[in-house]
Amino acid sequence: AQKVTQAQTEISVVEKEDVTLDCVYETRDTTYYLFWYKQPPSGELVFLIRRNSFDEQNEISGRYSWNFQKSTSSFNFTITASQVVDSAVYFCALAGYSTLTFGKGTMLLVSP
Amino acid sequence: GAVVSQHPSWVICKSGTSVKIECRSLDFQATTMFWYRQFPKQSLMLMATSNEGSKATYEQGVEKDKFLINHASLTLSTLTVTSAHPEDSSFYICSARDPTGVVEKLFFGSGTQLSVL
């Protein structure tokens, strides 16, 4: 069975602080995909990144960066210089062929 | 722009009535669609996997007769909450996978907030 754990239920930071959202996963599959989605208050899911299990290169996209470490089954997400607009719930997800397993989400509150 | 359209965005209904939610893929033909449910401050829980032309596969604990799923065409899947009750109030989201079968091409609808009075 697949499992995704986001231990941080809520994080509060002040604008311009850096923040890291943790994601730990469990799977027996040798090939899998990991995702991060952003869910703003309006409710829709916004795709942020996909990483496959064979690609452990870290990725940076603007203020966002992701650290994938297969040895610790973690796929952490860092926002640098956070902004108020980053306030949302962030979900980490693990995918097999036909379905996604979501973590419980981390609510990020960025105050001015 | 959106590639998956979900309607309605919100619905309020009386207890005992049925509510239909539509999920349409706009730019591709989706052989597989997924339906999720999300309670406040909780994660998305997969309810069922809908395959075009065949019966949906429901996750454990999801009542098939309560949540009717129809995937009659490659661009449309519907979720009908039958005889809705207040405990069915939730946020429902659909997703559609494009026919290439690559997992990353999984697009989500904008969700439907159902409130049952």
Side-chain angles (χ1 to χ4, degrees), chain A residues 39 50 97-99 102-103, chain B residues 34 38 43 46 97 103-104:
Chain A
Q39 186 181 42
R50 180 203 74 153
Y97 177 70
S98 63
T99 189
F102 285 86
Chain B
F34 305 94
Q38 184 183 33
S43 186
L46 179 65
R97 190 178 71 201
V103 176
E104 80 168 309

Side-chain angles (χ1 to χ4, degrees), chain B residues 31-84:
Chain B
T31 53
T32 304
M33 290 186 174
F34 305 94
W35 287 95
Y36 294 85
R37 182 175 182 176
Q38 184 183 33
F39 291 104
K41 297 187 178 182
Q42 294 192 28
S43 186
L44 291 162
M45 299 300 295
L46 179 65
M47 298 176 65
T49 302
S50 168
N51 294 298
E52 187 269 337
S54 63
K55 291 184 178 180
T57 302
Y58 289 81
E59 296 299 303
Q60 191 173 9
V62 178
E63 299 177 59
K64 301 178 182 180
D65 296 331
K66 176 77 172 176
F67 299 99
L68 300 179
I69 292 174
N70 184 285
H71 193 161
S73 77
L74 287 172
T75 60
L76 175 64
S77 176
T78 61
L79 167 67
T80 301
V81 183
T82 61
S83 187

